[in-house]
Amino acid sequence: MTDPVAGDPLVAVEGLAKAFDVSAPWLDRTLGGEGRRLLRAVADVSFTIGRGETFALVGESGSGKSTIARLVVGLIEADRGTVTIDGVAIGRVSMGRASRALKTLRRRMQMIFQDPFASLNPRMRVDAIVGEPMRAFGLARGRRRRERVAALLTAVGLDPLDGRRFPHEFSGGQRQRISIARALASEPLFLVCDEPTSALDVSVQAQILNLLKDLQAERGLTFLFISHNLAVVQHMADRVGVLYLGRLVEVAPVETVFVAPLHPYTRMLLDAVPDLSMSSRDRLRATGEIANPIDPPPGCAFHPRCPLADTRCRTEPPHLLAAGSGFVACHAVAEGRAAL
Amino acid sequence: MIAFIVRRMVQAVVVMLVVALLAFMMFRYVGDPINQMVGIDTSPAAREALRQRLGLDDPMPLQFARFVANAARGDFGVSYQFKQPVADLLAARLPATLELSIASALFALLVGIPMGVYTGLNRHAPLAKLFLAVSLVGISLPTFLIGILFIFVFAVHLRWLPSFGRGEVVDLGFWTTGLLTVSGLKALILPAITLGLFQMTLIMRLVRAEMLEVMRADFIRFCRARGLTARAIHFGHALKNTLVPVITVTGLQLGSVIAFAIITETVFQWPGMGLLFLQAVQNVDIPIMAAYLMLIAALFVAINLVVDLLYVVVDPRIRLAGRAT
Amino acid sequence: SDDTTFRYAFQGELSGLDPYTLNETFSLGTLANVYEGLIRRGPDMEIIPGLAESWEVVDDTTWRFHLRRGVTFHNGNPFTADDVLFSAERVVSEGSDLGARIPPGAQFVKLDDYTVEVRLATPNPILHSEWDAWAIMDKEWAEENGGVAVTSASAETPNYAALHANGTGPFKVVSHEVGVKTVFEANEDWWNWGDRSFNIDRVEFTPIASDATRVAALLSGELDMAYPIPVQDIPRVSANPGTEVLTGPELRTIFLGFDQDRDELLYSDVKGTNPFKDVRVRKAVYLAINEDAIAAKIMRNLATPSALMISPSLYARSGEFERLPYDPEQAKALLAEAGYPDGFSVGMDCPNDRYVNDEQICQAVVAMLAGIGIDVELNAQPKAKFFGKVLASGGYDTSFYLLGWTAGSLDSHHVIFNLNTCRNADGTEGGAFNLGNYCNPEVDALGAKILVENDPVMRDQMIFDAFTIIHDEVSHVPLHQQGLAWGKAAGVALVQRPDNKLLFDYVKK
Amino acid sequence: MSELPAVAPRGRLADSDLLAAFLRSRVAMLAALATLLIFAAAAFAPLIAPHDPYDLASLSLLDSLTPPAWRAGGTTTYLLGTDDQGRDLLSALLYGTRISLAVGFASVTFAAVLGISLGLVAGYVGGVVDAVIMRIADVQLTFPAILIALLIDGTVRGLLPGLTREESAFGVLVLSIGLSFWVQYARTVRGSTLVEASKEYVLAARLIGLSPVTIMARHILPNVLGPVLVIAAINLALAIITEATLSFLGVGMPPTQPSLGMLIRVGQDYLFSGEWWIIVFPGAMLAILVLSVNLLGDFLRDALNPKLR
Amino acid sequence: MTPVLRVTNLRVSFPTRRGVLTAVDGVSFEIAAGEVLGVVGESGAGKSLTGAAVIGLVDLPGRLAGGEVHLAGERIDILSEAEMRKVRGRRIGMIFQDPLTSLDPLKTIGQQLTETIRTHLPLGRRAARRRAVELLEEVGIPAAAQRIDAYPHAFSGGMRQRVVIALALAAEPALVIADEPTTALDVSVQAQIIAVLKRMCREHGAAVMLITHDMGVIAETADRVAVMYAGRIVEVGPVADVVRRPLHPYTAGLMAAIPSLAHRTERLAQIPGAMPRLDAIPRGCAFHPRCAEAFAKCVLARPEPAVVGASRVACFLHEAAPEPALATT
Ligand SMILES: Nc1ncnc2c1ncn2[C@@H]1O[C@H](COP(=O)(O)OP(=O)(O)OP(=O)(O)O)[C@@H](O)[C@H]1O
Ligand SMILES: Nc1ncnc2c1ncn2[C@@H]1O[C@H](COP(=O)(O)OP(=O)(O)OP(=O)(O)O)[C@@H](O)[C@H]1O
Ligand SMILES: [Mg+2]
Ligand SMILES: [Mg+2]
């Protein structure tokens, strides 16, 4: 079930699933009489992203956000499902050998990572880091490359002379700018941002978020934006998908999600956010913690924490169904039990 | 748990097979055993006959299969030099080597751990620096030289301790021990220290490094923030946490202690397996060499198993998760 | 008991208790305290009666031995002619390493319980000279315990006789842990107990391979005796209060040998010809070696430079031979004359744990030969590997080597035959230890005659002739007889024989 | 969370932290000085040594056992005296150090190259490859250096009987010491590789389609070399000691090309005999060399460990 | 009434090769009984160090370079290590950021709890264990009696942080310093932990110093808030005042930079640049290079805190007000 998209989608994710094998070694398993232990990080996730759109994924730690990001750019291979970008299906990029179409495609999508300290090779100079994608894709060489690196550094708000320095000489915010410059070096259409600001201070976060927005406007970029910070998501996204234990529980335009959330989990999340405006809202108190993904609860995985859960929720997993302006996977919503 | 042990066992068997192959292959090509077995005026024809009787003419795979099958029964053949079953010879020498190795391992642990703890806790104390310096000197001289110097000083000059041998031993039937007599204990001191010195230094430095590391861990900060006494923090929390790597290294080291006993036993004429092995190497006594290698590997595997089990005792996290690498 | 216990150490170990298993000086010497032969040798190597009280040469090929009466083995069994016959058979049986001690075809005949006759195929004037070293075993004991067969070098399981000892000698074996410790105890029932010249009642032997440890143990008073003492440590041991060193000449001669067999040396840059076949080259090597320096510096004077390959004490006319002088200039001239003005290169094999300072000697030789342009590449190895390479079993794989030899029979024939007669390719005929196959039919002929000549003067002359040829042709380069150095506690008295055997029955403490 | 440059990148010498720490530590400077001097002496041995100890023709047995120049009977020709063959001890010492260092460096390099490659591959590729490499490492650990050396020495010379010690010793030593040391590198590098490979800069490199080999060589390798440097320093010391021990056991360098260990082995024979200089000088040289290298390794370890600053 | 904690002019510095770095510089504040003081600021502002200095746990080579710390009127910064040890845990409890690493992995939580309890309270083994179970129940650990013998690794992150709270409060300290107690946790868990912490402190009447960089948490939890920048408190005052009517340009910028759920803006306000490194703190007001309202004086002199309304603020824009006596006795 693909959700309807305004216009022509750039990215289409269909029935994506990924389980990690976290079993004990074979012999232990055999002797201990245990089966395989699979960690279902992502289960049956579908969404599309239109050109120039920002699609955001939110969810608690371990809900599968990063896994989806890596699946989408092909860093890991999906067990099931497809990712199509600009009409071309993605294989695993890491292991070489790809069709020409895929190769161009690969250059058209890039990723910005969470940790500004780990995402830059400490042994390389900044201009080498930023220039590397150009080198790898054979986009520019020599003087041309140096000029383009300088231009990119300027575009992200750094001095071209900074290129001669090493990453450790920069602050976190500046490093994130370098990451962005590197991501832009191959002239991508599609950027996956996995918690690009969660390691940054608020004052710097604002700088980066603004930069991303500016770049999107300038270059018509499409974003898959991942964050656990609802306020940031609200600020950045056009549409939002809410993840719980590897499943999308709600997908809707940003206004709907934050103004009239449907899924009890979305509501709980929103209510748990401490509020700067101190409006002392009426709140749905969060209880419990995210369940163990190796052994998720049957039925709706959220049911142990859900105030609306009934027997059906405990046994039958809900499907993502159209509701309001978006989609929700919740029996209570479908049955109209959820009072808004 | 059982699975864990079985897995170790399977690994052990593989290791042993590889070692067996190595032992067999390598020693198959060292020198000519026939020369060792006979006096120098034995005729070539007699030598050839001997070669045939020993099966040294058979194809390699056959010889290896025979070797493994025999080894599995604990039969390593008869020593070329001593005309006695190698198993008996080794069994007679094993107690000496084990007593020496364990004594030196104990020495290394009992001296190394406290010194490591001390130097780790008092990083800038003069005494700690002295310990470190002295320990460095200890690993900057080859073992054999240290042994010879010990003999020179403590046996020849001061005449405090014997220079060779095991002293009086008591035969318990299955085991001969030097631990029950005064002369046996005295004879143990120099070789055990010589052999243990290197490991002691290693353990001391390891404990120190671990201690420094652990003392910076968050949970130690939290202990201090809870007002626990220094003693409780250092010995109740920090030391215990340093033990996991110490156990690993000690386990590995005990294996090499037994191997390094070759040198110490040579210097002190300690009647253990190492001495037997070195003599065997010089005399190209293949059965002894092969059996010794297999025994070392077996001991090593056994020690590893014990280390793994100790982990489980020390570290509760492993009980559930299986051993993290 | 401590002051009547004699503790000593030797560099090697006693591998088994069967005196027939290994033909090696130390084993034979040690077991000689437990087992006795028909003859014995006295403190000066003189032949004296052993279990045979007397003997006579009946004719060229018949010897008669009169056995000592009233002798018992350690287990109490009486010693009789049956034991001699049994032992003689055992010595030549398969597995024995002493077979050569009894000439082929020799027959032992029991005349009565205390008389044995030996009938030979060919005359042998020195028949009994090696007979101190084949011991008499108790027939009943061996048969009862299953020790009849000799535990051969290759035996899969040692029999009773390899692990237990039952001789007639002055000492009994109390315990034997191979490679660790062997304990002996005085035998009060020894036939010569009344005239014994020892006062110890217990002997403990420990093998200590490391020189430094052995010397240290002696210096620290833990041992009553230790041997060998490395030559450089002799002053130290002598200077140490409470210890001293007994030195003396040993019978063994150290010499260098050349491959004179192959047409092209194995390890050399000379191709197509073998320079060592040219006597001028051999002589040049001889002249280039400063044996006096070796004896003084490496052997610390504990060596007797020798012109012959036999100890002067074993050959009366040794004094008539002289070493070639050290003369590198003449050596160079000879080399040039032989066609090697710039020298040549050759590989040298040398043991490094067999003889006194063997490797150092080789190194010195290498340096000295470098002086005349011969570039020697030294391959010094432990004896096991060395012998494996250079002996018949290794195909005489050597071009130039160092070796030591003791005339086992204490007679020159041993040297002439084993080291200097032509041999066949695999050493089964001729001088098996003539590694380089020096070959001169004249020497061979002389050797054959010497063996059967019963007239001492004639015999000595023939030996003289043979040695003269060997000397002139530089079949080998004799270096020296190495010295013996035994360290002992000052209060201990013992006899040092040139055969390097330690006899407990001369030990006084 | 910190905006500060957290950990200065490890191991860059230009990095002022390392240099400053070094300038502060008198011990480290002294050790470095000693190491440098010894290295230089070894490197320039042919230029500074008064005699050529390999020129056998120049040896005179009659000059052997000459005591050092300042002792009675000594001569200035042989400043530190001569050994049992009349070899100038000072020259032998210089050349011996050269050989010991050569063995040390060669075997450490061999071990490091082998260990680093295997560790990188094991850590980066993972799976069966990793399991196999690490099991081999386990087996390897069963055999300490001296056992391996005895094995290899025996095997090599058993297989190639014509080979003399002169020809084979160096290779055998390097092979056996190297083989017994590689595990440490492999384990360390594998560990760091696992950490580095999961870092996002490696993901970024994979994303632009670089080949695994390029990624390992260009991105991961430089970042895992820090700890390797420390291991290498300490291994160098250990290798020199091991070589000495092997010489003692009779499988070291040949006496005609004596290393420090061989000189000690020879000198050992003169421990009781009064010619103390034959053992004392090589022994002291070895101790100083190994101690200095160890001290430097220690210093590096502490200085490169950000947690101990 | 004497405040539970009064800190005056606290300075913490680190001697380094490049000179002495002052990481906390002239910090003064106080906390009354039952009060929650929030301390906010960007990373590296000196929040944690201030907390560590109060409890006497500044790691070497750092040291207290000046100022005084009074606990319930008693000066504690000059106590010996042995005396200080009795203060820690007993009178001041501390909670660290990461519950995963705060607990000794090799000891059961029961062992860690009873050990702490018995260090400070004269209880027997059994009594201490009973108390430990009670504490665990109090912080909301289900089936506490069974789970007390489990090892830390058997607990989830949120549960662990509850255990850490129980440990910090085991001896009923008068002051609790919580250093980012929820940063490592998810939002849904964070709310629960904050609730537990608040409830526990209220019930035990403890004063709380809540260190965090999350303005939202402060807004919901604290009574008063201190805003730190580059080692100094730039503004301290009642939460409502600071959040709604920030006085200091930095506070104002910070508030505007935080995206809010309540009102969506197209662009966030941003403060240019980043907080200076310790070794490069500008002269004058440390914030002036980033401050839109800076004027000449800001570059030259360092503003002292001045009382404005219920707040105190260190900014020349608010200099006018006369400085009252600091003490409120
Ligand atoms: N390589 C892997 N092997 C095993 N399990 C994995 C692996 N990568 C992720 N997981 C597990 O998959 C689940 C989803 O992980 P993922 O990183 O996608 O979560 P996330 O939503 O990004 O969380 P966070 O907010 O912490 O980054 C988690 O339970 C995680 O432990
Ligand atoms: N041991 C130390 N040596 C040198 N500087 C230190 C040390 N410990 C802390 N600092 C510095 O002191 C300053 C204040 O640190 P502190 O930990 O108090 O910051 P914080 O406000 O708690 O930051 P965060 O939000 O990252 O926890 C920082 O600049 C930090 O780098
Ligand atoms: Mg993630
Ligand atoms: Mg902090």
Side-chain angles (χ1 to χ4, degrees), chain C residues 97-121:
Chain C
D97 204 27
L98 301 184
R101 298 271 145 108
I102 295 177
Q107 279 188 328
F108 281 67
V109 180
K110 171 180 168 183
L111 300 185
D112 62 46
D113 263 2
Y114 295 99
T115 315
V116 173
E117 205 164 84
V118 183
R119 297 182 186 146
L120 300 172

Side-chain angles (χ1 to χ4, degrees), chain A residues 201, chain B residues 216, chain D residues 1-4 309, chain E residues 12-16 21-24 39-52 58-62 97 179-180 211-213 228 231 275-278:
Chain A
D201 276 318
Chain B
R216 311 188 142 252
Chain D
M1 273 266 125
S2 168
E3 277 287 290
L4 283 176
R309 287 264 169 76
Chain E
V12 179
S13 57
F14 292 93
T16 70
L21 300 183
T22 305
V24 173
V39 180
V40 287
E42 291 179 76
S43 194
K47 308 181 295 289
S48 299
L49 272 181
T50 307
V58 177
D59 284 327
L60 284 174
Q97 169 174 342
D179 189 355
E180 316 221 15
I211 299 171
T212 174
H213 60 261
M228 290 190 73
M275 203 175 66
R277 294 151 62 130
L278 274 191

Side-chain angles (χ1 to χ4, degrees), chain D residues 150-215:
Chain D
L150 290 172
L151 288 173
I152 293 185
D153 186 70
T155 315
V156 167
R157 288 189 301 133
L159 288 174
L160 307 165
L163 217 58
T164 59
R165 184 132 281 277
E166 267 84 358
E167 292 158 344
S168 67
F170 188 83
V172 166
L173 283 171
V174 169
L175 195 67
S176 45
I177 299 176
L179 273 184
S180 59
F181 284 174
W182 70 270
V183 174
Q184 219 183 341
Y185 296 90
R187 290 194 160 182
T188 312
V189 168
R190 173 181 176 269
S192 326
T193 303
L194 283 178
V195 173
E196 294 297 321
S198 66
K199 281 199 182 158
E200 291 161 350
Y201 71 86
V202 175
L203 296 186
R206 282 174 54 195
L207 210 50
I208 56 177
L210 298 185
S211 75
V213 176
T214 315
I215 292 179

Side-chain angles (χ1 to χ4, degrees), chain C residues 330-342:
Chain C
Q330 197 197 338
K332 273 188 219 164
L334 276 174
L335 265 191
E337 201 184 309
Y340 305 100
D342 302 321

Side-chain angles (χ1 to χ4, degrees), chain A residues 9-27:
Chain A
L10 179 71
V11 182
V13 171
E14 180 67 56
L16 208 57
K18 175 75 191 175
F20 294 105
D21 189 347
V22 291
S23 333
W26 171 81
L27 193 71

